[in-house]
Amino acid sequence: MTRKNQTLGEFIIENQKDFPYASGELSRLINSIRLAAKMVNHEVNKAGLVDITGAVGETNVQGEDQQKLDVLANETFINTLTNREIVCGIASEENDEFITIKGQKNDHRNNYVVLMDPLDGSSNIDVNVSVGTIFSIYRRVTPSGTPVTIEDFLQPGNLQVAAGYIIYGTSTMLVYTTGNGVNGFTLNPALGTYYLSHPNMQFPEDGNIYSVNEGNYVHFPQGIKDYIKYCQEEKDDRPYTSRYIGSLVSDIHRNMIKGGVYLYPNTAKSPNGKLRLLYECNPMAFIAEQAGGKASDGFRRILDIKPTELHQRTPFVCGSKNMVEKVESFMQK
Ligand SMILES: O=P(O)(O)OC[C@H]1O[C@](O)(COP(=O)(O)O)[C@@H](O)[C@@H]1O
Ligand SMILES: [Mg+2]
Ligand SMILES: [Mg+2]
């Protein structure tokens, strides 16, 4: 149930009844993500004034140069979740292995695992372009009271109990779903409170924005090349507008509001694409579908892919339903 000017805290409590297990554990978990996001937002807003831009000189399991803000955001979320007795395990883009959280009584009693991309759009940190955080939540499959195993993390996206993102942009927003639609909350920085600003977000079925890094055009599969040509054709409501921020969260957020499709295809260089299935594509696909949109790898529904590795990648097509289906038709041709 949504109400104008409802705060995120009120919304979480009032909608707790939607959760079959309703122990309050998931509500406390989302509340903790809300808190950690505020801490990261505070740091992001100071980028350029304090020493949090640039690289730390380490590379992560993806072989990427870790940015200072990647590490700061990673530590902030891990510490906030660990200290609040709500998760039994965390997997992050910035950690090679998953982290087991025993809980204060060392009894592995907690029931949820979180998978996250603590700072999305790292290439935009130093240039003051919007970045984000992405999170995906599952109920563990191994028995409570035992240490989590990789099985708790390698669940298909259609088993997510909640997913969302935070966008640190012109304003800071937290957008999430628990399987009952998508709602967006804007942070009032003066009060430190998130307010419901975008109730029941919906992807328009059609749009005229396509988002892809055309710099990789020559390496794209023929189907994607044909789709891009289709977008640029002078015909009907085309040419479409090309918009690409280079932060997945920001590109999907814009397209969800205005109508559009985001593509990160596979290329000869990266046969499985760049984006990570577990903590980038699955949560954004859950959000997209809950908002009436669609997400696939060009052939398969992202949420039905059975993961095999923590940091596996997948080609990604996500956005307005009819536009994703158009891309798929070009791919399958
Ligand atoms: O620079 P490219 O190759 O277009 O990649 C941009 C994509 O990579 C990402 O930055 C990957 O995410 P991280 O910044 O979390 O590693 C996405 O946010 C973005 O959509
Ligand atoms: Mg990312
Ligand atoms: Mg990242």
Side-chain angles (χ1 to χ4, degrees), residues 70 93-94 117 119-120 122:
D70 284 325
E93 177 192 1
E94 303 306 330
D117 177 354
L119 206 287
D120 177 63
S122 307

Side-chain angles (χ1 to χ4, degrees), residues 228-240:
I228 293 173
K229 283 285 160 258
Y230 168 86
C231 291
Q232 297 167 344
E233 212 180 349
E234 292 271 359
K235 200 170 175 205
D236 306 333
D237 61 342
R238 288 164 286 136
Y240 294 153

Side-chain angles (χ1 to χ4, degrees), residues 60 62 64 70 93-94 117-123 134 212-213 216 244-249 251 262 264 274-276 280:
N60 62 18
Q62 336 274 340
E64 293 162 347
D70 284 325
E93 177 192 1
E94 303 306 330
D117 177 354
L119 206 287
D120 177 63
S122 307
S123 63
I134 311 174
V212 63
N213 183 344
N216 298 331
Y244 190 70
I245 295 169
S247 296
L248 171 68
V249 163
D251 280 311
Y262 170 96
Y264 207 106
K274 174 183 182 177
L275 300 179
R276 284 51 62 124
E280 288 177 317

Side-chain angles (χ1 to χ4, degrees), residues 56-195:
V56 280
E58 308 270 333
T59 55
N60 62 18
V61 63
Q62 336 274 340
E64 293 162 347
D65 294 334
Q66 278 187 317
Q67 305 300 303
K68 288 178 188 152
L69 213 49
D70 284 325
V71 175
L72 183 143
N74 195 39
E75 287 166 1
T76 304
F77 276 92
I78 290 172
N79 296 341
T80 307
L81 296 177
T82 306
N83 305 341
R84 276 170 184 72
E85 282 292 315
I86 23 178
V87 290
C88 52
I90 299 173
S92 165
E93 177 192 1
E94 303 306 330
N95 295 71
D96 300 13
E97 308 300 333
F98 64 83
I99 302 163
T100 301
I101 314 283
K102 297 196 202 95
Q104 267 137 16
K105 302 192 200 81
N106 288 338
D107 58 0
H108 303 280
R109 282 256 147 257
N110 301 317
N111 295 306
Y112 292 101
V113 294
V114 173
L115 301 98
M116 63 177 187
D117 177 354
L119 206 287
D120 177 63
S122 307
S123 63
N124 283 325
I125 296 169
D126 296 2
V127 291
N128 206 356
V129 171
S130 66
V131 292
T133 293
I134 311 174
F135 63 90
S136 169
I137 301 172
Y138 292 86
R139 210 175 158 78
R140 64 182 304 169
V141 290
T142 52
S144 179
T146 65
V148 281
T149 71
I150 190 69
E151 293 322 305
D152 293 304
F153 297 92
L154 298 183
Q155 301 185 51
N158 53 39
L159 294 178
Q160 289 174 97
V161 292
Y165 59 83
I166 296 103
I167 180 168
Y168 312 102
T170 43
S171 63
T172 294
M173 281 187 69
L174 191 154
V175 175
Y176 82 108
T177 183
T178 54
N180 300 296
V182 176
N183 292 283
F185 300 80
T186 300
L187 180 66
N188 175 331
L191 303 176
T193 304
Y194 290 92
Y195 287 90

